[in-house]
Structure formats: structure tokens, C-alpha cells
Amino acid sequence: MSELEVRELRYFIAVAEELNFSRAAQRLGMAQPPLSKAIAQMESRLGVRLLERTTRQVRLTDAGQVLLGQARIAVDAVHAAARRARRAGQPAPQLVVAVKPGGDAGLLREILAAYRESGTRLPPPEVLVGGSGEPIAMLRDGRADVALLRSPFDGRGLDSQTLVIEPRLAVLPAGHPLAGRRRLRLADLQGEPIPRWKGAAPSHTAYYTGCDGAEAGGGPTGPTPAADAPEGPLVAGVEQLLEVVALGQAVAFLALSTTERHQRPDIAYRPVTGLSPSEVVVAWPETSRSPAVAAFVRAAHEVAAHHPDHLTALAH
């Protein structure tokens, strides 16, 4: 069996994501017949069916599901290799750090300062700020060398080190009946709509809705809030999340350091017993041998070890 080419993997990813040959061909900028022929040739060479086709729909087989996951990793790795090679050959290399707003627990400026002080021959750092899910994408596709991320995330192909663990709080409209309490349980929020983050994987959805913690699956304190809750609005950022909560459309959960930066008179934050915490990690490609990345990771570790008491540094 001959190996699959990157071009063929790109074709398959488009079809698998669109589940429609016409849309996939349009997305790829090609005609549909050669795309259909390419997929059929892939199936013949692999000896398995990747797609089930009827006159009404296209769906992935089990083999197709596996190939889709692996194909995304392979194509990302090829793109990342090319980007990193180009960047490494630049006359003035930089260390590119990816982060999303609020994703650093207030550590980034201190880490950058510690990195700059750690060696005069290190390349200068450049920070890329992206939206939800973008920092890890930047890390995978070669746009970034290192990233500050919040768990959970897909760690395949990455090395990482936890920097801090901080509690998450319930986010309520100021006029909510539970806003008058000093502390809540997850069971208190049963039946409340909780925002869903756009593009979130099932493990992420469990985290954002409070279903991954000590009370996940119910127990002595009752079911988790998302067990029977109606789905809240789709959100793509903290500002949007806060707005739908303030309007009474949902309740939510946010990390302590995030709530401290977003104080509003129409929002109440309350501690929640049994809610899993938020972890901030520094992550980098497991194949990286960059001295600059190693220096940044050391700086992040040192800064986290001396962070204020409300953030628990694992370095101790």
C-alpha cells in the first residue's frame, strides 16, 4: 500500500468536515468529479470504506473517523514544519508566545520580564493574542513556539507544565435569588441554563458546564447543574458570556483571576463547592529543542512559584 499524500489528506478532511462533496469541492477550489475520484482511490488503496454515501447524505465510517483525527494531526504537522523552518531561517528570529485574553492568570508580564533577564542571546519575545481555541492552534500549526493555556486542552504532540491552579466561581446575574448566598453547591444551580462555547469538544463542554468535578454524575449533593439543564446561548468570549449572564439568559463558571478583571455591578460571583478548578499551563511542541522555549518555560516556572497565595503554584 502506498502512503497517502498531504494533498489527499486535505481532500479527505474537507469532505469529512463538510459531509457534502459539492461544498467540499467548492471549499478546495476544484471540481467535484476529481474530488470524488480521489476519495475513491484513497479507499481502494487503504482497503476500507471511509465514507458511507447515499443519495441523501454522506457520513463517516469508523475508519473515516479515525483517519479524520490522524489526518488533521498530519496536515498540521506538515504546515508547522514549514512555518518553523521559515521562521528559524529569518535573520532576526523571535520567540512567539500565544495566549488568549485572561488565559495567563496575570502571569504573562512577569514571565516576559523574567525571560528577558535570563539571557542576552535569547531572541526577543513576541506575543500573539488569540480568541478561544486559537493559542493551541497557533502552537500546533507553527505560528507560535510556546503558549499559555487553560485546561482542558488536547495535549497530543505537546509537552506542558502546570503553573497555577485557581478556583472557579459561579457567575450570576446580580438579581438572581442565589446571588445573596455567600457560597453555593453545584446542586444549587441544577436546571439553570449554562452557556456553550462555540466549537468546544465534549470534554471542554463538561468542564464549562461543571460536569467534570467532584460532583460529576450526581451523588450525595445531587446532580450536576448541566445534567438536566437547558442549553444556554453559544458564546465565543468572556465579554459575550458576561453579557448573556447579566441579561438573565444563563449562569456560568469563570476562573478567579478572570472574575477579578471583570467586576460589574450587574454580575455577582460566588464560590462553588465541588466545582473543578482552573489550571494554567505552559505548553510547547514535544519535539522542540529550542533554548529560547526552555528559557521561557523556566521563567514561567519561577514566576508561578512566587505568585500570590490565591493561586496555588505546583512548584512548591
Side-chain angles (χ1 to χ4, degrees), residues 2-13:
S2 59
E3 294 182 358
L4 298 176
E5 299 178 359
V6 174
R7 171 182 56 83
E8 294 175 308
L9 294 178
R10 288 181 54 247
Y11 289 175
F12 175 73
I13 290 171

Side-chain angles (χ1 to χ4, degrees), residues 111 114 118 122 161 282 290-304:
I111 294 173
S118 62
L122 293 172
Q161 180 178 346
V282 57
S290 165
V293 169
F296 185 90
V297 173
R298 285 195 300 271
H301 178 85
E302 292 168 3
V303 168

Side-chain angles (χ1 to χ4, degrees), residues 11 15 20-22 24-25 28 30-43 51 53 58:
Y11 289 175
V15 174
N20 181 288
F21 277 85
S22 295
L28 293 164
M30 63 187 297
Q32 181 178 335
L35 176 60
S36 298
K37 181 179 179 180
I39 298 298
Q41 289 175 338
M42 288 177 63
E43 291 178 318
L51 300 161
R53 310 165 181 81
V58 176

Side-chain angles (χ1 to χ4, degrees), residues 18 20 22 30 35 41 48 60 77 83 88 92 104 133 137 139 168 185 194 222 230 248 274 280 290 315:
E18 299 291 344
N20 181 288
S22 295
M30 63 187 297
L35 176 60
Q41 289 175 338
V48 295
L60 287 169
R83 284 193 178 99
D104 65 328
L139 194 57
R168 287 192 292 160
R185 301 175 305 156
I194 299 176
V280 176
S290 165

Side-chain angles (χ1 to χ4, degrees), residues 160-185:
S160 63
Q161 180 178 346
T162 301
L163 299 178
V164 295
I165 300 174
E166 58 178 329
R168 287 192 292 160
L169 306 183
V171 187
L172 308 168
H176 194 284
L178 295 174
R181 298 190 188 179
R182 295 184 62 183
R183 177 173 288 274
L184 305 174
R185 301 175 305 156

